[in-house]
Amino acid sequence: MATTGTAIGQLAGRDHSELREVAVRTVGEQAAIAMSCGRLPKRRPGVDPNEDAALVAVGSQGVFAAVMDGHLGGDAAEETLAAAGEWARSLVEEPADHPRRMLNSVLKSAQKRIGERLAAVSEDRRNSRTAVTLALAVDRKVYVATLGDTVALLARRGRGRWVQFRETGDFMGAQPAMAPLQAAKRSGADRLILASDGLIDFTPSGFVVDTLGRPEIATAQPEAVVRALMDGALMGGAGDNVTVVCVDL
């Protein structure tokens, strides 16, 4: 049975297209999203200034998070965001009897929406694709599906350990794509990080894990975490869109 008190927040790249701007959205007390168009212009000019998108939903039954990174236009990322939004409330308010099937349903809905949109846009936008990572935390586990180069990391707070979800499928566009589904057990003190490749590409190897392990960040609220990670990407040049999600489980 659905319950009240669900918190849902999202950021869309079309609303944040100025270089050096950083937008932050908190979602309840458990989660936050940070997004930036970047610090410097893209190395390869994009069709749209900011083609990222993100959503987090926190409810009585679990947490759902999604990060999208569009390519050759934000069309595919925006439709994936819309599909995630349609599914978000039921994913976190109703018992998840089949978490893997539910994530697949989100991807199928996104695929359908992308196909319909690309059939209606101008020819120069019909090659739009998106990377996407979906994560659903329910029943002491985290289930993750990734297409493309978005990333997910589960940090074991206070233990110096982490799980990185490394299996990916092809970018999602007008053609169907299969996303490998991965799962990891979680504790009551884990921290889930999702990000577009703008975070990884413009920070040193190990930056995310090292940042999460800093004493002042390990005990900080999610908003401070996404700001610290975003600051690292911007200091690294950030010649691309950057989106970071942090969820405390």
Side-chain angles (χ1 to χ4, degrees), residues 11 17 36 44 81 88 93 110 112 126 136 150 175 177 197 217 226 229 231:
L11 290 174
S17 59
S36 176
R44 296 181 179 179
L81 175 65
E93 289 184 350
K112 183 175 184 294
R126 289 179 186 170
L136 180 61
T150 45
Q175 300 301 317
D197 67 334
I217 297 300
V226 296
L229 294 174
D231 286 348

Side-chain angles (χ1 to χ4, degrees), residues 26-91:
T26 58
V27 185
E29 297 180 354
Q30 281 184 251
I33 309 167
M35 174 181 288
S36 176
C37 185
R39 179 181 174 188
L40 301 173
K42 295 181 181 181
R43 292 169 290 187
R44 296 181 179 179
V47 174
D48 299 314
N50 190 342
E51 298 170 343
D52 280 7
L55 176 145
V56 177
V58 180
S60 62
Q61 298 297 316
V63 177
F64 172 60
V67 167
M68 285 66 71
D69 180 4
H71 294 259
L72 302 176
D75 304 83
E78 289 180 359
E79 292 305 324
T80 305
L81 175 65
E86 289 175 348
W87 278 88
R89 193 169 293 276
S90 61
L91 287 172

Side-chain angles (χ1 to χ4, degrees), residues 99-100 103 134-145 152-156 161-167 180-188 190-192 249:
R100 297 173 185 269
L103 288 183
L134 306 179
L136 180 61
V138 292
D139 299 333
R140 310 294 294 180
K141 286 187 177 181
V142 178
Y143 300 86
V144 172
L153 177 79
L154 183 64
R156 310 294 194 184
R161 296 191 290 114
W162 64 92
V163 175
Q164 185 163 354
F165 300 90
R166 298 183 181 275
E167 294 184 45
L181 292 173
Q182 305 159 80
K185 292 183 179 179
R186 64 185 179 93
S187 72
D190 288 347
R191 182 161 264 176
L192 178 66
L249 303 178

